DNA sequence: CTAATTTGACCTGC
DNA sequence: GCAGGTCAAATTAG
């Protein structure tokens, strides 16, 4: 299980400039029970791929014309109507947040991809995600991630659209709201090289534990704990070096590397000493919940900088 | 073995 | 009819 140890890309993404939040109608219908579980079969007229068949194989296409000929489950009008009403109800209340970002991966929540679609006129496919707690807690939050068309080979910008708000709670100690896994060394490496793992299709950005700061990480530690809405932030972010990546200002200040991590040798080395005590992820050492925004745990950061942190329980 | 991702089929609104 | 969104079996990853 990966818990909150996603790369910090998504976090960064959320905090990049000018997200726009709107409350607009969104085609977002509540699934049965609002849990993300499959709808009752009686409401599902969808033809299913025969069990055992390979997905996406052309030879399976005969199912389109023959496998279900005359056998297609009857549509249940009442169910369709119900769905329609559910959609319409949702459409009036869903909040959407749109951001454009280099790093859409890490926003403090865990997302599960449930679909990908090539969008008409778009160079790259759009990926669809829902909150991993949608099943457990009925969290309605979803997001779509689509790489922008016009970016060149170097910076890859993604348009991330968030739909709905998180109703889930990270009350499990194993799943602190956000754990940024990073290291001074790793950050330095990341910021200087801008190396990021690439998804195979280049449209779904890397999403989890091996986020942007992991490529050359040698020590593991944790810095930021964030809570609540990924859409708003009172954290200020700074460009880190020339890579186009961003780091939180406080982080830079703490480590003495505002413009480039590579220029913070003293602070970084002292922190490395501290960090070498870490052998695993920090779960939730000090967590300051934010009422309506993200919170950088300054206290924890200071403790990181000033004293050994081995007393934290992981 | 379990969880996450992939991807073609299907649904729905326009 | 088309395009976008979602489902879910198959596949892959951990």
């Amino acid at each position: 299980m990966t818990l909150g140890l996603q790369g910090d890309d998504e976090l960064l993404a959320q905090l990049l400039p000018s997200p726009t939040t709107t409350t607009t109608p969104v085609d977002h219908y509540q699934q049965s029970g609002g849990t993300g579980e499959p709808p009752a079969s009686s409401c599902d007229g969808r033809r299913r791929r025969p069990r055992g068949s390979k997905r996406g194989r052309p030879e399976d296409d005969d199912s389109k014309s023959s496998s279900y000929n005359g056998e297609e489950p009857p549509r249940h009008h009442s169910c369709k109507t119900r769905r329609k009403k559910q959609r319409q109800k949702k459409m009036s209340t869903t909040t959407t947040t749109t951001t454009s970002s280099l790093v859409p991966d890490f926003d403090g929540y865990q997302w599960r991809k449930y679909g990908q679609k090539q969008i008409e006129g778009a160079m790259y496919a759009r990926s669809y995600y829902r909150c991993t707690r949608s099943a457990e807690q009925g969290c309605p939050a979803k997001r779509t991630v689509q790489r922008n068309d016009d970016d060149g080979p170097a910076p890859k910008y993604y348009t991330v659209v968030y739909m709905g708000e998180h109703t889930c709670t990270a009350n499990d100690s194993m799943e602190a709201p956000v754990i940024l896994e990073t290291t001074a060394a790793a950050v330095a490496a990341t910021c200087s090289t801008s190396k990021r793992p690439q998804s195979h299709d280049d449209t779904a950005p890397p999403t989890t534990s091996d986020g942007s700061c992991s490529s050359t990480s040698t020590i593991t530690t944790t810095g930021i704990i964030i809570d609540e809405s990924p859409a708003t932030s009172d954290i200020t972010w700074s460009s880190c070096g020339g890579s186009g990546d961003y780091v939180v200002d406080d982080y830079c200040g703490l480590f003495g590397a505002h413009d480039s991590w590579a220029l913070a040798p003293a602070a970084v080395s002292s922190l490395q000493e501290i960090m070498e005590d870490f052998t695993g992820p920090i779960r939730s050492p000090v967590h300051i919940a934010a009422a309506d925004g993200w919170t950088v745990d300054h206290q924890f950061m200071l403790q990181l900088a000033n004293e050994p942190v081995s007393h934290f329980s992981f």
Side-chain angles (χ1 to χ4, degrees), chain A residues 8 179-188 190 213-214 217 219-224 251 255 275:
Chain A
D8 45 7
I179 306 290
L180 259 189
E181 182 180 76
T182 183
T183 74
V187 172
T190 298
C213 286
S214 65
S217 175
I219 53 178
T220 299
T221 186
T222 303
I224 300 173
Y251 232 128
F255 296 129
M275 292 169 175

Side-chain angles (χ1 to χ4, degrees), chain A residues 3-4 171-176 283:
Chain A
L3 74 109
N171 51 5
D172 186 342
S173 63
M174 291 293 289
E175 304 194 48
R283 298 303 183 197

